[in-house]
């Protein structure tokens, strides 16, 4: 059959609007809407048969039941749903009524066309409403990770506008000890602050083991500025609670859920966070980031540099210390899960590398040691040996007990490439 014969067969099923008629031939020609395509076929068929041209009102269509006349109205409802929200990109999805989907199949079946001929009703609805949304809001369509996703539920006559998360990248320095990276709920009361009806003695009724955290200083400020409903802190690893994070700082991303503002002054935000923290922590290099930066921060292989204050059980000479550090430089370290973390880590042996180890003896019992190692290397255990769980270790080589009395992280950098890649930023 010719395309005009197919068009006649479709039209004979009952009143079929131009959009539904043209949609069955959506793969034919370009630069036309389905409505334009359908009207052209209807005109051509009338001319070919030398019959009167009879238009069909969209509202009378038995296939879409008039829905194809409502593209403008649905687009206006989408625009109203984000009237007070800052977005730059969008995507439209449609939940088609089951009856319309069934009608489409019956239309093609009755005309002897394949059931997948042309395109689906919901595909056209997405596109036609989407074009209008873009014009009304001055935004651009994004089929990957848009700022807002609209779901048009035609049967329920509802527009759902889902605001996707926004992301702010930066680095933090932790300038005081005994501050965890993220909030640490009390294990005795599960963060409630109560044991039964009484305040929890273990946490003093706060629900947290530590009053402050890096997350607590940073995330609420970002959430407030971006007018979100919740926030999540993602760090590139984490330092021990009693360790400082100095030097270039540790990369992190704050994820803001359902933000109503996205165009923010990151320099002002940086100043607000640092003022709020009052010297406990500092952030720098804040930038608006993409969704993919979360995975990059959490999964990019990173090396760490540490500075540790070490105390020995016996007297150690500078010559012996330097020889031990030379032996550790370039060494492959086998570390069975340390005692201090075996309650939250799988009991396995991990292999990590020491890239460099240097240090200075302060007196016979005290030294400052600096270690550059592969990510995941436990520095406290590298020094102490952890009762033989870490081998080799500084204590083992020196044949004396050794313990880290203070630990500072001074650098967290990507092994093969920097964390800061313009591909993952939005500004």
């Amino acid at each position: 059959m010719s395309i005009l014969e197919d068009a006649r067969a479709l039209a004979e099923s009952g009143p079929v609007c131009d959009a539904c008629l043209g949609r069955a031939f959506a793969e034919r020609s370009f630069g036309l809407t389905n409505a334009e395509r359908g009207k052209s076929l209807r005109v051509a068929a009338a001319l070919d048969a030398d019959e009167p041209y009879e238009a069909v009102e969209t509202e009378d269509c038995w296939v879409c039941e008039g829905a194809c006349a409502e593209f403008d109205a649905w687009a206006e409802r989408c625009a109203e749903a984000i009237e007070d929200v800052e977005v730059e990109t969008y995507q439209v999805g449609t939940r088609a009524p089951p009856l319309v989907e069934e009608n489409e199949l019956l239309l093609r079946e009755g005309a002897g066309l394949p059931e997948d001929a042309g395109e689906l009703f919901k595909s056209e609805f997405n596109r036609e409403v989407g074009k209008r949304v873009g014009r009304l809001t001055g935004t651009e369509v994004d089929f990957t990770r848009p700022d807002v996703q609209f779901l048009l539920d035609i049967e329920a006559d509802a527009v759902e506008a889902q605001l996707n998360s926004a992301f702010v990248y930066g680095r933090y320095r932790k300038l005081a000890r005994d501050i965890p990276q993220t909030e640490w709920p009390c294990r005795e009361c599960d963060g409630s602050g109560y044991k039964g009806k009484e305040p929890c003695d273990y946490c003093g009724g706060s629900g947290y083991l530590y009053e402050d955290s890096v997350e607590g200083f940073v995330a609420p400020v970002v959430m407030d500025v971006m007018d979100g409903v919740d926030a999540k802190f993602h760090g590139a690893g984490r330092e021990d609670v009693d360790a400082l994070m100095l030097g270039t700082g540790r990369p992190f991303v704050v994820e803001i859920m359902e933000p109503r503002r996205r165009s923010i002054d990151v320099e002002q935000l940086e100043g607000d966070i640092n003022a709020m923290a009052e010297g406990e922590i500092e952030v720098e290099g804040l930038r608006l980031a993409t969704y993919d930066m979360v995975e990059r921060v959490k999964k990019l292989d990173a090396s760490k540099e540490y500075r540790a204050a070490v105390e020995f059980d016996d007297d150690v000479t500078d010559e012996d210390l330097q020889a031990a550090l030379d032996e550790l430089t370039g060494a492959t370290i086998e570390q069975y899960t340390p005692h201090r973390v075996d309650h939250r880590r799988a009991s396995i042996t991990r292999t990590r590398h020491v890239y460099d180890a240097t240090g200075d003896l302060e007196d016979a019992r005290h030294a400052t040691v600096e270690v550059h190692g592969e990510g995941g290397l436990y520095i406290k255990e590298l020094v102490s040996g952890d009762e033989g769980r870490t081998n080799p270790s500084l204590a083992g080589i020196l044949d004396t007990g050794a313990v880290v009395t203070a630990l500072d992280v001074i650098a967290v950098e990507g092994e093969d490439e920097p964390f800061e890649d313009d591909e993952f930023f939005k500004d």
Side-chain angles (χ1 to χ4, degrees):
M1 294 177 68
S2 69
I3 188 173
L4 293 183
E5 290 173 325
D6 287 338
R8 289 192 191 95
L10 291 170
E12 288 172 357
S13 65
V16 180
C17 70
D18 291 339
C20 288
L21 179 62
R23 191 164 58 251
F25 307 98
E27 75 281 358
R28 304 291 289 266
S29 188
F30 296 96
L32 297 172
T33 66
N34 285 333
E36 292 170 339
R37 192 174 282 113
K39 182 176 182 179
S40 298
L41 287 169
R42 202 185 303 275
V43 170
L47 288 171
D48 182 61
D50 192 19
E51 296 174 348
Y53 167 74
E54 295 183 8
V56 174
E57 296 297 326
T58 305
E59 291 79 359
D60 297 330
C61 179
W62 74 270
V63 181
C64 71
E65 299 188 317
C68 290
E70 301 174 353
F71 296 147
D72 289 328
W74 282 98
E76 289 169 4
R77 292 173 67 179
C78 289
E80 290 172 2
I82 57 168
E83 190 172 14
D84 299 321
V85 181
E86 291 182 2
V87 296
E88 295 180 356
T89 58
Y90 71 93
Q91 183 179 349
V92 174
T94 299
R95 183 176 292 141
L99 181 59
V100 172
E101 293 182 322
E102 182 180 344
N103 289 346
E104 282 207 294
L105 292 176
L106 291 174
L107 175 68
R108 286 157 176 74
E109 182 181 290
L113 296 179
E115 65 178 35
D116 60 349
E119 70 174 338
L120 297 175
F121 165 83
K122 64 181 179 181
S123 297
E124 178 178 19
F125 220 88
N126 293 343
R127 183 180 62 258
E128 293 300 327
V129 174
K131 289 190 299 186
R132 291 161 171 79
V133 169
R135 290 195 294 266
L136 288 172
T137 62
T139 55
E140 296 183 359
V141 67
D142 181 348
F143 296 112
T144 55
R145 183 77 182 184
D147 294 339
V148 60
Q149 290 178 285
F150 297 105
L151 176 60
L152 316 180
D153 191 328
I154 297 175
E155 189 170 41
D157 191 29
V159 172
E160 298 176 21
Q162 175 61 53
L163 296 175
N164 284 327
S165 296
F167 305 89
V168 176
Y169 170 87
R171 285 175 175 261
Y172 75 82
R173 285 186 289 273
K174 194 177 75 177
L175 308 177
R177 302 191 191 279
D178 296 323
I179 297 178
Q181 183 188 88
T182 55
E183 294 179 342
W184 198 325
C186 174
R187 60 176 177 268
E188 294 297 317
C189 65
D190 294 326
S192 69
Y194 286 87
K195 293 289 293 269
K197 295 183 179 180
E198 299 297 323
C200 175
D201 291 335
Y202 197 76
C203 65
S206 69
Y208 296 95
L209 293 183
Y210 295 88
E211 182 177 353
D212 297 319
S213 66
V214 177
E215 177 185 24
F217 283 124
V218 177
V221 182
V222 182
M223 185 174 70
D224 181 63
V225 169
M226 302 191 86
D227 195 10
V229 300
D230 201 0
K232 188 173 183 179
F233 191 95
H234 307 275
R238 63 176 67 219
E239 66 283 341
D240 291 340
V241 172
D242 60 353
L244 300 182
M245 180 66 244
L246 305 175
T248 56
R250 185 182 296 277
F252 70 89
V253 173
V254 174
E255 177 181 358
I256 303 300
M257 287 72 167
E258 299 183 35
R260 300 182 67 82
R261 294 186 57 204
R262 293 175 187 267
S263 301
I264 63 172
D265 185 336
V266 289
E267 292 185 3
Q268 179 65 49
L269 176 61
E270 191 172 297
D272 291 345
I273 293 171
N274 290 338
M276 183 76 69
E278 297 182 330
E280 298 287 291
I281 66 122
E282 292 177 345
V283 298
E284 66 178 11
L286 297 189
R287 298 179 67 177
L288 293 172
T290 66
Y291 167 79
D292 294 324
M293 182 54 94
V294 173
E295 183 175 9
R296 184 172 181 80
V297 160
K298 298 180 82 67
K299 293 188 177 181
L300 185 68
D301 289 337
S303 67
K304 318 287 174 63
E305 294 183 34
Y306 301 86
R307 181 172 58 233
V310 180
E311 182 176 322
F312 302 107
D313 287 353
D314 301 302
D315 289 354
V316 173
T317 67
D318 186 63
E319 181 180 5
D320 288 341
L321 175 64
Q322 298 306 322
L325 294 174
D326 287 344
E327 187 172 336
L328 287 177
T329 296
T332 298
I333 312 298
E334 292 188 351
Q335 294 190 304
Y336 191 72
T337 303
H339 284 299
R340 64 188 175 92
V341 298
D342 61 7
H343 62 288
R344 54 187 173 89
R345 291 284 189 272
S347 296
I348 60 174
T349 297
R350 298 171 175 84
T351 299
R352 296 291 186 269
H353 298 91
V354 175
Y355 301 136
D356 192 27
T358 60
D360 295 303
L361 199 64
E362 298 173 7
D363 58 45
R365 296 287 182 99
H366 299 86
T368 298
V369 172
E370 294 192 0
V371 176
H372 180 200
E374 184 180 0
L377 177 67
Y378 291 105
I379 299 301
K380 291 178 179 177
E381 287 69 27
L382 179 69
V383 169
S384 70
D386 196 26
E387 299 178 0
R389 289 186 170 211
T390 290
N391 186 53
S393 67
L394 184 61
I397 296 171
L398 292 171
D399 195 24
T400 185
V403 63
V404 172
T405 57
L407 182 66
D408 303 333
V409 187
I410 53 180
V412 178
E413 302 295 344
E415 287 271 12
D416 303 313
E417 56 182 304
F419 282 91
E420 294 82 359
D421 185 324
D422 285 343
E423 177 185 349
F424 297 90
F425 294 116
K426 302 194 73 170
D427 52 348

